Amino acid sequence: MLGLETVWFQVAGSICNLACSHCFISCSPTNRSHAMMAAADVERHLAESESLGVREYYFTGGEPFLNPELMEMLAAALRRGPATVLTNGTLINARRAAGLKALADGSPYSLDIRLSLDGFAPEANDAIRGPGTFERILEAISHLAAAGINPVITVTEACEDAIGSDGRARLLERLRTMGLDRPRLKVMPLLRLGAETERTRGYGEEETLAGMELAAADTAALQCASGRMVTAGGVYVCPILIDSREARMGGTLSETLRPYPLRHRACHTCHAQGLNCRT
Amino acid sequence: MLPTARETFAGGFRRVAFFGGVYSNYLALAEAHALARSLKVDAVFALGDFGAFGPHPDRTVDFLRESGIPCIQGNYEEALSDAAEDCRCGYTDPRDNHYARLSFDYTSSRTSPHHKAWMGDLPRHLRLTLGGTRVLCCHGSPRRINEFLWASSTSDAYLRRLLDEYGTDLLVCTHTGLHWSRMIAPAQGGRPARGILNVGALGRPANNGRTEVWFAIAEASEGGVRVEFVPVPYDHGRLAREMEAEGLPREFRETILTGWWTTCLEILPAKERAAGRF
């Protein structure tokens, strides 16, 4: 391991107000496999991370805004370093957007909001994220834009419209019409885990790094070389593998500062497609 | 285990200038060098990324070598001397990588083999002292040559760790193209103040609507180092014309002429992105 630089928090556990058909941890209103985190729990890990010299923080779920203590957690993180929230946007209203802007302005560090979208139009997006979500995401974008926050729009490769430079250019243009004059976009490969295995497929036999000797630079580029995921139930190697019991590396960050064997099939996606969940 | 790096010790100084990425802006480099000398510095150091973006890359390297400016390797020098396929800038966005590729292909095809060989022999790190302050110069960060240390995305805790791991008081870097500095600990018990100095870039303006480019001067002072950022006016119109004649992208020229970045934007954190026009 290169050294811990990025710490993730699974603040909403596996609880989400949506149930997207490509979710690699099958988050939903009823998935209780990972519990919500308490602010005191996050604070304890933040304090430890600071002593370890961590550079940045990410907050995800589930849907992070379902956690009633999220704003308190973000304020605690932003006292120590930059923070990013990964959200589906459906719980962002004008008041919340203004609260986020106040948090961002009150810190010397950046607060980034990453908002997921899966198509240019309701038909494509709602087929994956659920009926009516496209309009709600657009509303969130307009609330954030009005508050002076320029979110990073995240689309997965399930959004076929966004693949390739033409699709990307059209999506950026569409985002400009939604009120984002400097649109920011991140395209993520799909992980063949969780709900996605039902929507398309699981990993194939050939999709594995087992038995492969990666070059040192390739290993150092993987997110597990410099990041860890904190959940209510312990610290995992990365944000992707929290449904794999063997990916739980310890109860504190310090207990997890060792290399992780690249034995999971999802490790193939990180290496072969250069996936990094960071922005 | 931390990677080991080729390292050199430059000596002890009172007042020095640091040049960040030149990106083939040889006109600004010459102006900055003259300006630094007029500001009575003891020495000038260049922190890598001599090519990219601008025209005639050999002119920059000729100037650096003929002037005897001590240089360290940036990701560009590493990539050019390795015959790498790309610049290893560390961008993650396809549009950013598209423009990075245009820059790299142009620069690689017009950099002389003897300059590429020289780049391969450059040290990765350079140490010096400013009074009682230990200084470590690197390109991106001491951990990774292409790490972006932005003001709004680099925690104090991370900086403290870098300073401790690499046994220094002041970290001096570039790679982001934006200049900033932060002291994270005051002088205490005979120990100097500790912090970071990102010296910015001579290659393109600082995404602030001004056409000047920037370098940094660091001077030993009571309890630590005093930092000053110096704007460099130069004939940016001439540079843009030469870029056009060389067939470099219109977007690059626009940045030189307006002071606003038009490419390689997606890597910017929220605060730095919000400060620009695009």
XYZ file of all heavy atoms in Angstrom, chain A residues 1-5 50 52-55 80-82 104-105 107-112 150 168 182-185 220 226, chain B residues 1 93-94 143-144 147-150 152-158 161 182 266 268-274 276-278:
473
model
N 0.831 -1.199 0.000
C 0.000 0.000 0.000
C 0.868 1.252 0.000
O 1.840 1.352 0.737
C -0.889 -0.011 1.255
C -1.968 1.047 1.205
S -3.002 1.022 2.673
C -4.214 2.253 2.211
N 0.497 2.233 -0.856
C 1.276 3.458 -0.975
C 1.150 4.302 0.292
O 2.085 4.966 0.707
C 0.753 4.243 -2.179
C 1.529 5.475 -2.618
C 2.934 5.107 -3.028
C 0.811 6.146 -3.771
N -0.014 4.262 0.908
C -0.272 5.079 2.102
C -1.675 5.628 2.030
O -2.188 5.901 0.943
N -2.296 5.811 3.179
C -3.705 6.226 3.192
C -3.837 7.708 2.858
O -3.272 8.559 3.548
C -4.298 5.928 4.582
C -5.800 6.111 4.694
C -6.536 5.130 3.787
C -6.256 5.933 6.137
N -4.581 7.997 1.807
C -4.807 9.387 1.405
C -6.293 9.737 1.364
O -6.675 10.873 1.604
C -4.192 9.640 0.017
C -2.682 9.490 0.011
C -2.091 9.566 -1.382
O -2.774 10.014 -2.319
O -0.929 9.151 -1.539
N -6.908 12.031 10.619
C -6.061 13.224 10.692
C -4.673 12.849 11.213
O -3.655 13.313 10.695
C -6.721 14.255 11.610
C -6.124 15.632 11.489
C -6.932 16.671 12.263
O -7.738 16.296 13.132
O -6.729 17.857 11.987
N -3.274 10.149 10.787
C -2.604 9.346 9.763
C -2.219 10.184 8.530
O -1.651 9.671 7.573
C -3.507 8.191 9.324
C -3.789 7.126 10.396
C -4.875 6.165 9.924
C -2.521 6.361 10.753
N -2.596 11.465 8.539
C -2.217 12.344 7.432
C -3.058 12.148 6.185
O -2.565 12.271 5.056
N -4.356 11.904 6.366
C -5.238 11.695 5.212
C -5.466 13.006 4.474
O -5.511 14.081 5.069
C -6.566 11.071 5.692
C -7.674 11.224 4.658
C -6.330 9.600 6.012
N -5.623 12.900 3.176
C -5.731 14.093 2.343
C -7.171 14.538 2.100
O -7.457 15.729 1.998
C -5.066 13.804 0.989
C -5.124 14.970 0.063
C -4.422 14.742 -1.258
N -4.743 15.877 -2.119
C -4.135 16.183 -3.241
N -3.176 15.429 -3.668
N -4.491 17.234 -3.933
N -11.054 19.551 8.376
C -9.789 18.807 8.255
C -9.277 18.669 6.830
O -8.093 18.438 6.609
C -9.984 17.413 8.838
C -10.286 17.423 10.327
C -10.618 16.023 10.778
N -10.590 15.890 12.218
C -11.684 15.872 12.987
N -12.880 15.996 12.453
N -11.574 15.730 14.298
N -10.195 18.715 5.854
C -9.751 18.518 4.482
C -10.921 18.623 3.523
O -12.066 18.855 3.935
N -10.666 18.439 2.220
C -11.741 18.529 1.234
C -12.705 17.351 1.347
O -12.304 16.249 1.732
C -10.989 18.491 -0.097
C -9.720 17.774 0.204
C -9.368 18.120 1.617
N -19.582 25.067 2.245
C -18.470 25.207 1.298
C -17.744 26.531 1.511
O -16.510 26.586 1.529
C -18.987 25.108 -0.134
N -18.509 27.600 1.700
C -17.900 28.922 1.871
C -17.179 29.059 3.208
O -16.298 29.898 3.354
C -18.967 30.014 1.753
C -19.451 30.172 0.324
O -18.804 29.619 -0.587
O -20.486 30.837 0.115
N -15.247 26.882 4.622
C -14.038 26.062 4.729
C -13.004 26.504 3.702
O -13.362 26.892 2.582
C -14.386 24.586 4.487
O -13.186 23.820 4.409
N -11.716 26.417 4.053
C -10.698 26.666 3.025
C -10.610 25.520 2.022
O -9.984 25.650 0.975
C -9.397 26.762 3.838
C -9.659 25.980 5.087
C -11.123 26.115 5.372
N -11.242 24.407 2.352
C -11.179 23.225 1.482
C -12.422 23.147 0.581
O -13.471 23.677 0.907
C -11.085 21.960 2.335
C -9.873 21.922 3.228
C -10.002 21.905 4.620
C -8.588 21.930 2.695
C -8.884 21.882 5.448
C -7.469 21.910 3.506
C -7.618 21.886 4.882
O -6.511 21.875 5.691
N -12.291 22.401 -0.503
C -13.394 22.261 -1.446
C -14.446 21.277 -0.938
O -14.111 20.234 -0.375
C -12.882 21.767 -2.805
O -12.424 22.832 -3.589
N -15.698 21.636 -1.147
C -16.811 20.697 -0.968
C -17.376 20.433 -2.352
O -17.801 21.364 -3.036
C -17.898 21.294 -0.068
C -19.212 20.493 -0.010
C -18.987 19.109 0.600
C -20.282 21.247 0.780
N -17.352 19.181 -2.748
C -17.890 18.820 -4.050
C -19.140 17.967 -3.873
O -19.172 17.082 -3.018
C -16.856 18.040 -4.873
C -16.326 18.872 -6.025
O -17.143 19.556 -6.673
O -15.110 18.834 -6.276
N -21.551 24.096 -8.269
C -21.430 23.464 -9.584
C -21.139 21.975 -9.367
O -19.987 21.596 -9.180
C -20.294 24.141 -10.364
C -20.179 23.621 -11.781
O -21.055 22.911 -12.270
N -19.084 23.964 -12.432
N -20.878 12.499 -25.115
C -20.378 13.332 -24.033
C -20.614 14.820 -24.322
O -21.096 15.564 -23.463
C -18.873 13.050 -23.941
C -18.221 13.631 -22.797
C -16.732 13.325 -22.876
N -16.122 14.218 -21.938
C -16.200 14.039 -20.636
N -16.805 12.991 -20.151
N -15.683 14.912 -19.815
N -20.765 25.779 -16.458
C -19.451 25.129 -16.600
C -19.598 23.662 -16.227
O -19.084 23.220 -15.201
C -18.431 25.805 -15.689
C -18.008 27.170 -16.176
C -17.252 27.928 -15.126
N -18.144 28.454 -14.103
C -17.753 29.259 -13.119
N -16.485 29.602 -13.017
N -18.615 29.702 -12.230
N -20.345 22.902 -16.995
C -20.703 21.546 -16.563
C -19.493 20.653 -16.337
O -18.500 20.725 -17.065
C -21.560 21.024 -17.723
C -21.199 21.864 -18.887
C -20.835 23.206 -18.340
N -19.597 19.851 -15.309
C -18.535 18.907 -14.946
C -19.142 17.512 -15.027
O -20.241 17.289 -14.538
C -18.023 19.205 -13.544
C -17.593 20.651 -13.372
C -17.500 21.051 -11.902
N -16.343 20.480 -11.256
C -16.203 20.392 -9.926
N -17.163 20.799 -9.131
N -15.127 19.864 -9.400
N -18.380 16.580 -15.582
C -18.940 15.264 -15.873
C -17.931 14.177 -15.559
O -16.750 14.299 -15.882
C -19.296 15.233 -17.370
C -19.965 13.992 -17.934
C -21.316 13.757 -17.283
C -20.150 14.150 -19.450
N 0.028 0.784 -7.722
C -0.050 2.065 -7.007
C -1.217 2.911 -7.510
O -1.734 3.758 -6.784
C 1.257 2.827 -7.157
N -4.388 3.567 -1.860
C -4.334 4.824 -1.111
C -5.668 5.207 -0.468
O -5.804 6.320 0.019
C -3.862 5.958 -2.024
O -4.701 6.041 -3.147
N 5.837 1.286 1.729
C 7.229 1.675 1.440
C 7.225 2.852 0.465
O 6.596 2.793 -0.588
C 7.936 0.466 0.813
C 9.397 0.677 0.526
S 10.392 0.525 1.994
C 12.010 0.534 1.238
N -10.088 13.017 -17.355
C -11.218 13.324 -18.222
C -10.824 13.148 -19.687
O -9.730 13.556 -20.081
C -11.639 14.778 -17.958
C -12.741 15.209 -18.881
O -13.890 14.807 -18.638
O -12.451 15.937 -19.855
N -11.700 12.580 -20.508
C -11.342 12.327 -21.915
C -10.974 13.591 -22.695
O -10.036 13.577 -23.487
C -12.604 11.688 -22.500
C -13.366 11.165 -21.346
C -13.017 12.025 -20.162
N 5.716 12.200 -3.229
C 5.240 10.822 -3.369
C 5.014 10.438 -4.822
O 5.261 9.307 -5.216
C 3.927 10.634 -2.603
C 4.081 10.728 -1.116
C 2.740 10.927 -0.448
N 1.905 9.737 -0.513
C 1.950 8.744 0.372
N 2.772 8.805 1.380
N 1.157 7.703 0.248
N 4.460 11.388 -5.599
C 4.137 11.095 -6.997
C 4.468 12.308 -7.849
O 4.018 13.403 -7.563
C 2.643 10.763 -7.134
C 2.285 9.355 -6.732
C 0.853 9.025 -7.169
N -0.116 9.758 -6.381
C -0.678 9.280 -5.270
N -0.367 8.089 -4.832
N -1.560 10.004 -4.614
N 1.291 14.182 -8.923
C 0.218 14.471 -7.973
C -0.103 15.965 -8.002
O 0.802 16.798 -8.004
C 0.609 14.048 -6.551
C -0.509 14.290 -5.550
C -0.269 13.658 -4.177
O 0.886 13.290 -3.879
O -1.217 13.551 -3.415
N -1.400 16.281 -8.008
C -1.823 17.679 -8.015
C -2.028 18.156 -6.576
O -2.956 17.700 -5.908
C -3.140 17.838 -8.773
C -3.042 17.567 -10.251
C -3.309 16.300 -10.763
C -2.683 18.575 -11.134
C -3.226 16.049 -12.123
C -2.595 18.331 -12.497
C -2.864 17.061 -12.991
N -1.197 19.051 -6.114
C -1.401 19.634 -4.785
C -2.050 21.012 -4.966
O -1.375 22.025 -5.162
C -0.077 19.731 -4.022
C 0.578 18.388 -3.648
C 1.886 18.610 -2.888
C -0.368 17.504 -2.824
N -3.399 20.997 -4.954
C -4.175 22.244 -5.046
C -4.387 22.790 -3.638
O -4.481 22.033 -2.677
C -5.549 21.976 -5.655
C -5.573 21.247 -6.936
C -5.840 19.919 -7.115
C -5.369 21.786 -8.247
N -5.805 19.611 -8.460
C -5.525 20.728 -9.169
C -5.075 23.068 -8.726
C -5.390 20.907 -10.544
C -4.950 23.246 -10.093
C -5.097 22.174 -10.990
N -7.132 23.947 -2.307
C -8.390 23.569 -1.650
C -8.563 22.062 -1.504
O -9.606 21.620 -1.011
C -9.580 24.152 -2.413
O -9.973 23.293 -3.456
N -7.609 21.285 -1.966
C -7.789 19.831 -1.857
C -6.625 19.157 -1.139
O -6.495 17.942 -1.177
C -7.970 19.203 -3.254
O -6.770 19.244 -3.974
N -5.802 19.964 -0.492
C -4.645 19.412 0.212
C -4.791 19.746 1.695
O -4.672 20.910 2.092
C -3.339 20.013 -0.338
O -3.323 19.827 -1.761
C -2.133 19.324 0.256
N -5.077 18.731 2.482
C -5.312 18.974 3.910
C -4.003 19.296 4.624
O -2.918 18.866 4.206
C -5.972 17.746 4.551
O -5.043 16.679 4.630
N -4.129 20.026 5.719
C -2.951 20.287 6.565
C -2.346 18.971 7.048
O -1.121 18.838 7.149
C -3.348 21.125 7.794
C -3.486 22.602 7.453
O -3.289 22.968 6.280
O -3.790 23.384 8.372
N -3.213 18.013 7.387
C -2.722 16.732 7.903
C -1.846 16.027 6.865
O -0.806 15.440 7.197
C -3.902 15.841 8.285
N -2.267 16.089 5.622
C -1.498 15.450 4.551
C -0.149 16.166 4.367
O 0.896 15.523 4.200
C -2.308 15.475 3.259
C -1.694 14.698 2.121
C -1.417 13.337 2.256
C -1.396 15.305 0.914
C -0.852 12.619 1.209
C -0.840 14.589 -0.139
C -0.564 13.253 0.015
O -0.011 12.544 -1.018
N 2.201 15.262 7.065
C 2.759 13.925 6.832
C 3.866 13.949 5.785
O 4.916 13.318 5.959
C 1.623 13.001 6.383
C 2.077 11.651 5.909
C 0.849 10.778 5.781
N 0.902 9.918 4.632
C -0.175 9.373 4.070
N -1.368 9.612 4.556
N -0.054 8.582 3.044
N 1.015 27.969 1.973
C 0.341 27.866 3.270
C 1.359 27.402 4.300
O 2.080 26.433 4.058
C -0.794 26.836 3.186
C -1.707 26.843 4.416
C -2.595 25.594 4.462
N -3.372 25.396 3.270
C -3.871 24.198 2.909
N -3.673 23.123 3.651
N -4.561 24.086 1.802
N -11.005 19.680 -15.880
C -11.809 18.751 -15.071
C -11.070 18.265 -13.836
O -11.672 17.710 -12.927
C -12.272 17.566 -15.923
C -13.125 17.956 -17.112
C -14.315 18.832 -16.740
O -14.928 18.599 -15.682
O -14.611 19.775 -17.498
N -9.639 20.214 -11.804
C -9.696 21.260 -10.777
C -10.712 20.917 -9.689
O -11.841 20.537 -9.988
C -10.108 22.592 -11.406
C -9.114 23.289 -12.320
C -9.768 24.500 -12.985
C -7.898 23.734 -11.541
N -10.350 21.113 -8.416
C -11.344 20.982 -7.349
C -12.378 22.110 -7.440
O -12.170 23.087 -8.173
C -10.512 21.117 -6.068
C -9.090 21.033 -6.477
C -9.022 21.452 -7.914
N -13.450 21.963 -6.651
C -14.581 22.897 -6.777
C -14.171 24.361 -6.634
O -14.572 25.203 -7.443
C -15.643 22.544 -5.737
N -13.391 24.676 -5.634
C -13.066 26.102 -5.421
C -12.241 26.675 -6.564
O -12.511 27.777 -7.045
C -12.305 26.284 -4.092
C -13.221 26.309 -2.866
C -12.458 26.721 -1.631
C -13.230 26.421 -0.359
N -14.418 27.271 -0.157
N -11.242 25.932 -7.009
C -10.390 26.427 -8.094
C -11.187 26.520 -9.399
O -10.989 27.432 -10.196
C -9.169 25.513 -8.266
C -8.071 25.715 -7.231
C -8.322 25.010 -5.908
O -9.408 24.407 -5.731
O -7.425 25.037 -5.028
N -12.094 25.571 -9.601
C -12.904 25.610 -10.818
C -13.832 26.831 -10.815
O -14.044 27.493 -11.827
C -13.728 24.322 -10.938
C -14.562 24.203 -12.210
C -13.681 23.976 -13.426
N -14.432 24.003 -14.666
C -14.892 22.915 -15.279
N -14.661 21.720 -14.771
N -15.549 23.016 -16.414
N -14.374 27.117 -9.648
C -15.321 28.233 -9.555
C -14.638 29.576 -9.801
O -15.291 30.548 -10.186
C -15.983 28.232 -8.181
N -12.472 30.263 -12.121
C -12.181 30.520 -13.523
C -13.435 30.852 -14.312
O -14.539 30.903 -13.772
N -13.256 31.110 -15.609
C -14.413 31.434 -16.446
C -15.067 30.172 -17.010
O -16.263 30.157 -17.248
C -13.976 32.353 -17.584
C -15.083 32.625 -18.591
C -14.681 33.600 -19.663
N -14.578 34.965 -19.147
C -14.162 35.996 -19.867
N -13.788 35.805 -21.114
N -14.097 37.190 -19.347
N -14.259 29.105 -17.265
C -14.802 27.930 -17.947
C -14.847 26.717 -17.021
O -14.195 26.688 -15.998
C -13.970 27.601 -19.188
C -14.002 28.700 -20.194
C -12.897 29.506 -20.391
C -15.153 28.976 -20.924
C -12.911 30.547 -21.305
C -15.180 30.010 -21.842
C -14.054 30.809 -22.034
